[in-house]
Amino acid sequence: MAGAARVVLLGPPGAGKGTQAKLLQDEFGAAQISTGDILRKAVAEQTPLGKQASGFISSGALVPDSLIVNLVAERLKEKDCAKGFLFDGFPRTIPQAESLDGILKKAGLDLNCVLSVQVPQNIIVERLAGRRTCRKCGAMFHVAFNAPKLDGVCDSCGGELYQRDDDKEQTIAHRLQVYDTQTAPLVNYYRARGLLREIDGVGEIDQIRARVIEALGDLVR
Ligand code: AMP
C-alpha cells in the first residue's frame, strides 16, 4: 500500500470484512489482522488461549477484552505489519478501541481510517447461515452466492470447508445482538475522531471491493 494503511474494518458479522481484508492484503500487502481467525487457530491447536476462548466463541459471546488486547499487541510486533495493517473483527468494544489507541501511541503510530461496512440484518442472516469456511486457510465461501468449484473443498488451498458453530442459526441472532450492544457504539467513537468512512456492503464481492478501494482513496494508491 502507498504509505502504510492502518485501517479498521468495522461492521456486523457477515458484512464482508474478512473477504475484503483478504483481497486488500493480496493486492496491497497490508497485513490482515483477524482476531477471529487467530482465536479459531488457537482453539484448533488447543493452546491456553484457545482453551480460554472456546466457550465464548461457540456461544457467540465476546472473548474478554484482556485476552484480545494482548493478542493484538503481540500480533502488531510481527514484521508483516510494517507495511500497514487491516483490522478485521477488532476492536469490538469501546475498551478495546481505547487499548488500541494506547498500543499504537506507544509505537508512535495512529489509525488513518475506520471503514464502516453497512449491510441490513436480513442479508447478514442469509450470508452467515450459508457461509462455509476453510479449516486450513480461513478462506470463505457461500453455498449459493460464492460456491466453491468443488463441493466442500477450498478453491485456494484444497482444505476442508465447514460450517462454523457460531454460523448456525441459533447463534447468529445472539451474535447480532452482541454487535448492536457492544460493537455498534464504535461507529460514533470513530466518527467523533474524524476517522469514519462508510460504504454500502450489499452487492457482488467485486463491486464492494471497488467501493472499499474508492473509500480508502490515497491510502491504497
Ligand atoms: P469473527 O470471526 O470476527 O466473527 O469472530 C468470531 C468470534 O471470535 C466472535 O463471535 C467472538 O467470540 C470472538 N472474537 C473475535 N474477535 C473478537 C474481539 N475483537 N473481541 C472479542 N471477541 C472476539
Side-chain angles (χ1 to χ4, degrees):
M1 285 198 182
R6 297 179 297 278
V7 173
V8 169
L9 294 171
L10 186 61
K17 305 181 300 293
T19 301
Q20 295 301 327
K22 282 183 181 30
L23 291 172
L24 288 170
Q25 173 173 257
D26 291 346
E27 193 165 349
F28 300 107
Q32 176 197 12
I33 304 182
S34 160
T35 43
D37 282 352
I38 296 170
L39 290 168
R40 276 184 291 280
K41 186 162 180 271
V43 171
E45 292 172 354
Q46 300 190 333
T47 66
L49 170 67
K51 285 180 187 158
Q52 285 172 285
S54 126
F56 296 104
I57 298 175
S58 53
S59 71
L62 293 185
V63 172
D65 290 337
S66 55
L67 294 179
I68 299 289
V69 167
N70 284 339
L71 169 169
V72 168
E74 287 308 305
R75 178 67 185 86
L76 279 171
K77 291 180 190 158
E78 288 176 37
K79 213 170 133 198
D80 59 337
C81 294
K83 287 192 211 150
F85 41 82
L86 307 155
F87 282 115
D88 153 20
F90 174 87
R92 257 175 156 104
T93 63
I94 300 272
Q96 288 184 18
E98 290 168 346
S99 298
L100 176 62
D101 290 342
I103 293 168
L104 292 177
K105 199 168 170 197
K106 234 169 144 183
L109 297 172
D110 54 6
L111 285 177
N112 39 36
C113 172
V114 175
L115 193 60
S116 165
V117 185
Q118 298 173 330
V119 180
Q121 184 147 330
N122 59 324
I123 294 185
I124 287 192
V125 172
E126 193 178 42
R127 283 187 186 174
L128 289 177
R131 179 157 77 175
R132 298 293 180 268
T133 304
C134 176
R135 272 196 204 283
K136 216 164 130 191
C137 74
M140 283 169 293
F141 299 84
H142 188 281
V143 289
F145 310 138
N146 180 27
K149 291 194 184 84
L150 256 180
D151 209 22
V153 180
C154 175
D155 287 355
S156 310
C157 76
E160 180 205 354
L161 301 183
Y162 77 112
Q163 182 177 34
R164 284 167 42 178
D165 276 347
D166 59 345
D167 282 345
K168 294 185 178 153
E169 219 155 318
Q170 59 276 24
T171 314
I172 292 175
H174 184 220
R175 288 170 73 202
L176 292 177
Q177 198 189 356
V178 167
Y179 178 81
D180 280 345
T181 54
Q182 304 200 52
T183 308
L186 290 175
V187 170
N188 282 336
Y189 178 91
Y190 285 121
R191 186 180 284 128
R193 284 159 181 73
L195 288 170
L196 196 75
R197 299 183 198 177
E198 294 170 283
I199 62 156
D200 175 6
V202 179
E204 301 287 323
I205 290 173
D206 276 351
Q207 285 176 317
I208 300 163
R209 181 182 149 275
R211 285 178 214 147
V212 169
I213 290 177
E214 171 76 27
L216 292 179
D218 290 347
L219 298 174
V220 291
R221 284 194 196 107

